[in-house]
Amino acid sequence: LWKNSDGSYGEWTTNAAGEFQSSTTITNVADVEVFYGVDLNNDGLTGHGTISIESNGATTLGATTQGEYLIGGTTKLTFNNATVGPNSFSGWQAIHAEASGGGYRVLWKNSDGTYGEWVTDSNGVYVSPNTVPDVVAVETFYGFDIDGSGTVGYGLPKLARFTEGDQKTPMGEEVLGVSDWDETVDILKFVPDLEAPEDVEDDYIMVNLHQAQDGALNASEDSLAAVLSGNLDVKDDEASPTLTPHLDEDSFWI
């Protein structure tokens, strides 16, 4: 077996003395892996087999070493009476498949970041296309966070916790880019991270964006500690804050 620097393979047949007799072109090196007893293309298989692409939901999608997409382990994806695989359409790769309406829906991703969808029959034969202008709209169907947003389908974002090293504290007018700020920016802490009352300030500043004026909110230290401890039943004359931590979510009530 010979390998070219361009990644292609060829094979010689020799006589018992090692003298060249004939040559053979190797179109798929997996064809001869079992004979030589080694995984020559480093795909984790010796010989032919199926490599998993995804197994989310009830239907799996894989690609055989013969260059064919396989739905559910047995159904070949076909188009115009020919099987299709990872090298069938330039720039396009099938990334998810799921059963639907007696057939399948197959999600494709282009190298430019756009998406498209095939509808097939129960035998994996192409029937029609679907446009996918927003991949989030099909994430729930395929059961996967396709765009990497951290949410499957549409959902409200949550505040993320940062380590101390990730906290950013702008210093001065040049960093902030505004002229009416004369102090550094305080670190926003989440309720579970506060150790009331010593870790709680008496005065709170409500910061308004778009050049709106700031307003100071005064609160009783003991009353705020009660809020932090989970006792939300605070009388009006005991505290005056209008910015209250919401203990069940990473958010605040105003």
Side-chain angles (χ1 to χ4, degrees), residues 27-204:
T27 56
N28 188 341
V29 73
D31 293 340
V32 297
E33 284 185 339
V34 173
F35 175 78
Y36 290 108
V38 63
D39 176 15
L40 296 165
N41 58 5
N42 297 315
D43 63 359
L45 302 170
T46 300
H48 288 294
T50 301
I51 300 170
S52 175
I53 295 175
E54 62 88 15
S55 57
N56 303 289
T59 305
T60 62
L61 177 66
T64 70
T65 51
Q66 286 99 336
E68 301 167 333
Y69 283 127
L70 206 60
I71 303 173
T74 58
T75 303
K76 294 180 180 180
L77 189 62
T78 62
F79 177 78
N80 285 347
N81 299 317
T83 58
V84 298
N87 299 317
S88 295
F89 306 106
S90 178
W92 288 96
Q93 297 289 314
I95 59 172
H96 286 275
E98 199 66 39
S100 175
Y104 300 98
R105 283 166 55 185
V106 180
L107 185 67
W108 294 77
K109 182 177 182 179
N110 194 285
S111 55
D112 64 7
T114 59
Y115 295 85
E117 194 177 47
W118 278 13
V119 176
T120 79
D121 64 15
S122 60
N123 296 315
V125 178
Y126 169 84
V127 175
S128 62
N130 282 335
T131 58
V132 183
D134 184 0
V135 74
V136 178
V138 298
E139 284 186 341
T140 301
F141 175 76
Y142 290 107
F144 189 74
D145 176 19
I146 299 168
D147 66 351
S149 67
T151 302
V152 176
Y154 294 107
L156 295 176
K158 291 177 68 66
L159 294 174
R161 294 178 182 271
F162 288 93
T163 63
E164 249 349 93
D166 291 332
Q167 296 283 1
K168 304 299 182 183
T169 306
M171 304 292 290
E173 294 180 3
E174 292 183 0
V175 178
L176 294 175
V178 292
S179 60
D180 56 348
W181 285 31
D182 57 1
E183 297 180 358
T184 60
V185 177
D186 293 329
I187 294 175
L188 174 66
K189 287 193 174 184
F190 288 82
V191 173
D193 296 333
L194 299 178
E195 298 177 0
E198 62 273 4
D199 200 21
V200 179
E201 297 290 340
D202 290 337
D203 294 330
Y204 291 85

